Amino acid sequence: MKSVNIILFRTTFCILFLAIFIVSFLLMEPGCHRHKAPEDASPSAKTDSSDAPSNSENLAYEQVPENKTANKLDPTAGLSPEQLLREMITAYSRCKTYSDSGYIELIYETKENPRKELRASRTPCSVVFKKPNQVRVSVNDGEIYSDGKKLHGRIHQPIYSKLTLEQTAPMLISSIKDLYIDPRLASAMDMKVPSNIFWAPPQLVLLLSKEPLKTFIPKESSVKLIEPAYASIFDEVKGTTSAEPCDRIQIIAEDGIRTLWISRKDKSLVRFEFPLEQIFVPENIHRVVRLSLEIPNRTVSPDALKLESEEAVFSPKVPEKTESVRNFIPFDLFLLGKKAPSVRFKALFSGFSDIFPNETDGKCRVICFWNQTALLPKNYMEKGSYPKDDTSGLSIRSQKFLNELDQLAERFEDNRMVEFISVCVDPTSTQTNDVIRSQYGLLDLPLPLYRLEMDDIQNSLFSTLAFPSLMIVNSKGIIQKYYQSPVSIMKLAGQLKKILEGQDVYREEFVQYESDRQRFLEAISLADLNDLYRTVPETVVSDVPTLPLSMPKKIKLESSWILDTLQHPGNPLPLSKKKDQKEKYISNDDLLLVPSDGNSVAVVSSRGKVLQKLSPPAALGEPVTFVRASVSEEGQPLFAASSLLESRVVHTFDGNFKNIGSINIAEPNEQRVADIRIADIDRNGRPELLLGLAGNTTSNTIPVHGLYAVDVDPQKDKKSILWKDEQILTPYRIGVDFTADGNRRLIAMNHPDGLIGNIVVDDLEKGDRAGKLQIDSNYSVLWFHADRMAPKEGTEIAAFIAQINSPKIFFAGISPKDAKILWKYPIPETITERQMERIVSGDINSDGIKEWIVLLPGGSILFFDRKGELLDRFQYGKEITGACVAQWDGHSYLVVTDINHITAWKIRDKNAGKN
């Protein structure tokens, strides 16, 4: 299971670095159509790569050219897939000149017209290469050029439009490492395809990889020839469609089927079809027909051919006044260390004069740039009267920044060397000064209000600003800090204090950037060393040393069975079959659901046998690390699977584990799934989803967080949002709370200032804010788990809490009524892993009352009763990835997963856990 730090997603470039931090595969010689390789050993991660539209209004409705060639090709006599693959590899290894005009195309059918094929997107993916060192690679928004003397890079995004990367060209381009020299450029060259298939263009892999099959063919894949066919290729340059005879090879892997179309003429790759199992299907699409790399106009020659206009081909077309740089820095660093521009902030309140940010009068300035009007009253969060239908979120984001600025100003209200100002950037053409003043007054903020004209923004250094955002300018007019995401007040206060002391804190950002850039280059070097250009599952090695095995003293455990056929199992979920249950599973046995193999869920019997693997049509290979289950009062089950902060998609299954469909309501707001719960929200006898979504802090926009109630009706193929609460800041954890009188409410994590954590409470049926559970002011909630510990009593909440301004962490019980800390137990280790459920509950002694089980990084398992008494501990001797307590055959079982195994321990002592 992949380790996730909640604040890891800091820049898009960091995601790319993680995405291509790959592991080695050693491919065995092919034989009998079967390819195997040893286990991967090094860490890797995925990039987010979905470009499928979320609704039909965004699609380019265009009829795909049909293949009008009716002639049927005869199979090539005696040809094996291994021979054909070798011929293709030989053609590329011998070629001295290669060129194409490729593109990646997504073809789909809508539900309204399922027989009409439409094109959703076309992403450029073309390569021109002439040995020894002339090249042009155009992918998505990025291009790399080498004319043999200089290596240039261009990013076709407005923020980088006047910048060109320029470095000395290598004497010999012999590997992909020679071209992927900059993280921002590599990010712009994202192919929008599953990174576990390719993260570099297949053409480059064929041209520059020593063993291309290591990337093309995953381990344990079967390879076979299928019927040859004519490839209908549309040439965008010429505007014509041609039919080319091709032999075809299918690579059948666990994550889906890849299909290669290989030209009979020159053995070059004509088309590569990506696995449809890896593609997220938006609501309005009936089905995806094909996601493929199309490669028209190929030249694969063993000779050094003269290409037309080689100077134009291998030299970038750059606009005038373009600046040459050695690297593309993240655009949130563009402003740092530079003198603030001489633009006018026009005062909108009487008694204040216009100011210029570069003229500071010896004072520090903290500036909040915000946009979008219709701001809400200051106390809207407490009242819970926010509008449910506000979908823009921009005004709420702006208010978060303004409230943050106000809180910071309160801390420095006695310091005359710093001033705090609010700057509206809404165009004058859309809002008058009077309207801005009126709506700003609703916030009741004691901060002076200014306005910055859009023309002044576009014609100055501020053209790189994002809105809303926060900037700190020191007493000399030098920009020291620039934040596009909300920051904890304590962190802001600490940075401002350093700036007031005369420190240039902006240098810290560049040191961090350089460190991250070096890590990116190391990852590329590792890819070159392993000759592997796709991502593979990661094995996590804990920073905490694993303690040696030591069995519990009071709780008697007996190993029942061990399963070792699943890769990276974790977070098991037990399903106990009862005679009176109405739902029908695939087996009459008790079951265990276990996330495994990166993006699958294994259905395991209570005897340790894998019955089925649920491999949902994951959104371009997005991972699955936890699964939730619930059964309605009418016996209708629902299962949901996703991954904390790594996926935008929730996969749903019915009681027979049939895939109902994948839900993605996170992508439009750049969110990711944080947690899922299932409950009959509207009491209609059918379970619905409760989703916690957290903003992606790598986004250019301010993260939007929220709780969403989603109706899932498999019979009507209906998925709709019942209600949403977008005011919660960090819903990394959610739960359903049953009060003593049987009423239900939704509880969720919240960090209003980015540091101090509490728990908020919403009405379950309507989503209205009901209050918050603020624990002792000396502590902050890091993580919680809620469960009914006894059938007739209210829900109890167990949590990890941290002592403010101290490294001390406790496992504690929290009252669901008033958030009082009922008991606490010191935890000696830091809890950082969030993909793993470190607090679980279960009835370890079969008495109908659950106990708490705590999993620690060093491999310790602690057992607590509901009063917080430590019952026993189990030093597991291995790095744990998950655990649960199951009730099977009238006995309690402790099921523990580690990196390679699932072990079921039968609890022999009926008095285990009893005082």
Side-chain angles (χ1 to χ4, degrees), residues 98-131:
Y98 175 86
S99 67
D100 68 42
S101 54
Y103 53 87
I104 295 170
E105 186 170 64
L106 176 64
I107 306 297
Y108 70 100
E109 295 174 351
T110 63
K111 293 180 180 179
E112 292 77 13
N113 193 349
R115 294 185 178 182
K116 184 178 181 181
E117 293 185 0
L118 305 172
R119 180 184 302 116
S121 63
R122 265 207 179 135
T123 302
C125 184
S126 64
V127 174
V128 182
F129 180 49
K130 185 175 180 180
K131 290 184 177 181

Side-chain angles (χ1 to χ4, degrees), residues 527-575:
D528 179 61
L529 177 65
N530 296 326
D531 203 19
L532 187 66
Y533 303 98
R534 57 180 171 81
T535 61
V536 289
E538 173 184 359
T539 299
V540 172
V541 179
S542 174
D543 294 333
V544 180
T546 301
L547 299 172
L549 174 67
S550 176
M551 299 297 289
K553 295 181 180 179
K554 298 179 181 179
I555 300 176
K556 306 302 180 183
L557 300 179
E558 175 186 302
S559 178
S560 180
W561 52 260
I562 299 175
L563 177 63
D564 61 2
T565 59
L566 298 176
Q567 295 185 33
H568 315 304
N571 293 328
L573 178 71
L575 300 177

Side-chain angles (χ1 to χ4, degrees), residues 20-321:
I20 57 180
F21 209 122
I22 49 185
V23 300
S24 61
F25 261 33
L26 300 176
L27 187 68
M28 297 178 63
E29 281 296 318
C32 296
H33 309 291
R34 192 78 178 170
H35 296 255
K36 295 185 179 181
E39 291 290 329
D40 306 309
S42 303
S44 71
K46 52 161 274 310
T47 53
D48 176 58
S49 49
S50 173
D51 196 36
S54 58
N55 58 68
S56 58
E57 296 176 357
N58 297 328
L59 303 181
Y61 288 95
E62 186 174 348
Q63 185 65 40
V64 177
E66 296 181 358
N67 183 1
K68 298 181 180 180
T69 305
N71 297 332
K72 189 174 182 180
L73 284 173
D74 294 326
T76 304
L79 188 68
S80 71
E82 288 79 12
Q83 290 172 326
L84 183 56
L85 288 169
R86 291 193 190 100
E87 289 178 358
M88 178 184 70
I89 291 170
T90 300
Y92 282 88
S93 64
R94 291 179 178 176
C95 86
K96 295 182 179 179
T97 304
Y98 175 86
S99 67
D100 68 42
S101 54
Y103 53 87
I104 295 170
E105 186 170 64
L106 176 64
I107 306 297
Y108 70 100
E109 295 174 351
T110 63
K111 293 180 180 179
E112 292 77 13
N113 193 349
R115 294 185 178 182
K116 184 178 181 181
E117 293 185 0
L118 305 172
R119 180 184 302 116
S121 63
R122 265 207 179 135
T123 302
C125 184
S126 64
V127 174
V128 182
F129 180 49
K130 185 175 180 180
K131 290 184 177 181
N133 62 350
Q134 290 178 286
V135 70
R136 186 189 74 204
V137 182
S138 302
V139 182
N140 201 7
D141 287 333
E143 286 190 296
I144 297 171
Y145 301 81
S146 172
D147 60 4
K149 299 177 181 179
K150 294 290 184 181
L151 184 67
H152 295 97
R154 295 279 296 159
I155 297 178
H156 302 302
Q157 297 168 358
I159 198 74
Y160 295 102
S161 61
K162 295 183 180 180
L163 298 176
T164 299
L165 182 145
E166 182 176 308
Q167 296 186 16
T168 301
M171 296 294 292
L172 173 66
I173 295 176
S174 59
S175 71
I176 293 176
K177 173 185 173 183
D178 296 330
L179 301 177
Y180 279 70
I181 56 175
D182 181 84
R184 297 298 300 183
L185 181 57
S187 178
M189 295 175 64
D190 176 23
M191 295 191 297
K192 304 297 183 184
V193 300
S195 62
N196 59 308
I197 312 298
F198 288 102
W199 57 256
Q203 308 99 301
L204 279 184
V205 176
L206 288 168
L207 288 166
L208 299 176
S209 174
K210 300 176 183 64
E211 297 181 66
L213 292 186
K214 292 176 68 174
T215 300
F216 274 78
I217 305 176
K219 64 176 182 178
E220 300 297 334
S221 301
S222 61
V223 181
K224 69 175 183 179
L225 281 174
I226 60 175
E227 184 179 3
Y230 286 92
S232 178
I233 302 293
F234 177 69
D235 186 344
E236 284 191 322
V237 177
K238 299 179 179 179
T240 58
T241 301
S242 60
E244 184 163 358
C246 295
D247 289 304
R248 296 191 296 167
I249 291 178
Q250 272 191 353
I251 301 170
I252 305 172
E254 188 170 355
D255 60 0
I257 298 175
R258 302 148 170 83
T259 304
L260 284 73
W261 295 58
I262 301 174
S263 171
R264 284 193 167 180
K265 176 182 177 183
D266 57 12
K267 305 304 178 184
S268 63
L269 184 64
V270 177
R271 173 185 291 161
F272 183 93
E273 295 180 5
F274 297 91
L276 296 184
E277 294 87 345
Q278 296 283 298
I279 304 171
F280 169 69
V281 181
E283 288 292 321
N284 64 302
I285 289 182
H286 172 62
R287 71 182 183 97
V288 173
V289 178
R290 186 175 74 243
L291 175 66
S292 61
L293 169 65
E294 309 288 340
I295 314 178
N297 285 343
R298 298 167 323 285
T299 299
V300 186
S301 173
D303 302 318
L305 302 179
K306 176 69 175 177
L307 297 172
E308 295 183 9
S309 306
E310 287 192 357
E311 183 177 354
V313 170
F314 297 120
S315 298
K317 298 177 182 178
V318 298
E320 295 182 3
K321 299 181 180 179

